Amino acid sequence: DTVAAGHFRVEVAGHSPLEFDDKVFLPQGTLGLQYSQRLAEALDAIMRNQFEDARLDRVHVDLDLEYGHDVATIAGAYAEKDEVEEGEEVRVWVILKPHQGPKTTLWFDLEVPEGHAGRDLSVVIQPGGRVPFETTPPDSLDDVLENLAKGYPDDVVGAVVQAADVGLTVEGKAMGALPLSALATLSPQAAFLGEEPLATLDRYFMATQYMLEGSVSLQLRVKTKEGKGK
């Protein structure tokens, strides 16, 4: 097994360069043009941007190859209970299965967000590099490049807490967590999204010694606190 740790610099004519670090697991120990999904997605986003015709001047990559077995799969996760209350802390355990060596377990305390009684929360646990970074919708190619530079490393476990979100789209941009009065005011120029997409409520991260792969998810049912009315 090989891990390629790289520093990437994408030079776009007329703009500041895009730079980021990325690690890639190469199970066959060979390097191909498709080895960095983040680089491929960045190049696609630049060339397909809606603001201007982009011209790539240069893509520079510095790689450090690490041979060994410091790779682990996110093999499972479970919470101390499946039914939770708003505002309480619930412990969640994450099981890692290294390619060599015994399984190991990490944990974090998830704070159940307010305002979701009677609904299900989804907790998606995956390598940090797969966790969407919170960004604002771009208004220019410079904004696209700035957003692409943001990300989390793949040697951390990322847990994303989500819930179904009532939202809408205006001119192609998603707007979530809006009251019904706002939906009525913006209609008909807005497209109603119903219960999609999922709204991200919180993110948790745990550092590890491994390059991570795989993902798991679990569901938590939020009940009303005792003593509260229906």
Side-chain angles (χ1 to χ4, degrees):
D1 295 344
T2 306
V3 173
H7 179 76
F8 299 80
R9 178 183 174 94
V10 180
E11 298 180 4
V12 182
H15 299 272
S16 297
L18 164 65
E19 296 190 64
F20 60 87
D21 295 315
D22 191 22
K23 283 188 175 183
V24 183
F25 171 52
L26 307 171
Q28 304 302 321
T30 58
L31 194 62
L33 294 177
Q34 74 283 3
Y35 64 94
S36 174
Q37 180 178 350
R38 183 173 176 184
L39 175 61
E41 292 175 350
L43 295 178
D44 183 69
I46 292 169
M47 300 309 297
R48 291 178 180 269
N49 87 88
Q50 61 181 314
F51 305 108
E52 62 180 85
D53 292 331
R55 188 181 82 246
L56 295 177
D57 283 344
R58 185 185 184 194
V59 177
H60 183 81
V61 182
D62 286 324
L63 288 179
D64 182 14
L65 300 181
E66 303 170 0
Y67 299 94
H69 297 274
D70 290 336
V71 180
T73 300
I74 299 175
Y78 59 95
E80 60 181 295
K81 53 185 175 179
D82 297 328
E83 193 172 33
V84 299
E85 295 182 350
E86 294 176 306
E88 76 169 322
E89 285 193 348
V90 179
R91 182 150 296 184
V92 176
W93 288 270
V94 179
I95 302 170
L96 302 182
K97 184 179 180 181
H99 286 199
Q100 285 193 343
K103 293 181 180 179
T104 183
T105 303
L106 307 176
W107 59 266
F108 67 96
D109 289 327
L110 183 155
E111 183 175 348
V112 181
E114 301 282 353
H116 294 276
R119 305 176 72 184
D120 289 332
L121 300 180
S122 175
V123 185
V124 181
I125 300 169
Q126 55 197 339
R130 298 187 191 176
V131 176
F133 203 92
E134 187 172 1
T135 60
T136 56
D139 291 318
S140 66
L141 179 53
D142 284 330
D143 291 343
V144 172
L145 295 171
E146 182 178 348
N147 286 347
L148 289 172
K150 300 174 181 177
Y152 303 105
D154 271 337
D155 58 357
V156 302
V157 174
V160 180
V161 184
Q162 298 176 314
D165 182 29
V166 177
L168 48 80
T169 60
V170 179
E171 296 181 350
K173 294 182 179 180
M175 302 175 65
L178 293 176
L180 293 179
S181 58
L183 296 174
T185 300
L186 290 170
S187 192
Q189 65 266 32
F192 182 57
L193 297 179
E195 287 294 321
E196 295 293 341
L198 291 177
T200 296
L201 307 178
D202 212 341
R203 296 174 174 86
Y204 297 85
F205 296 95
M206 293 160 282
T208 77
Q209 67 186 76
Y210 302 106
M211 175 72 182
L212 298 168
E213 60 179 1
S215 65
V216 297
S217 63
L218 55 88
Q219 301 291 318
L220 300 176
R221 182 68 176 177
V222 184
K223 62 181 180 180
T224 304
K225 287 184 179 180
E226 294 183 6
K228 285 189 176 182
K230 294 183 179 179

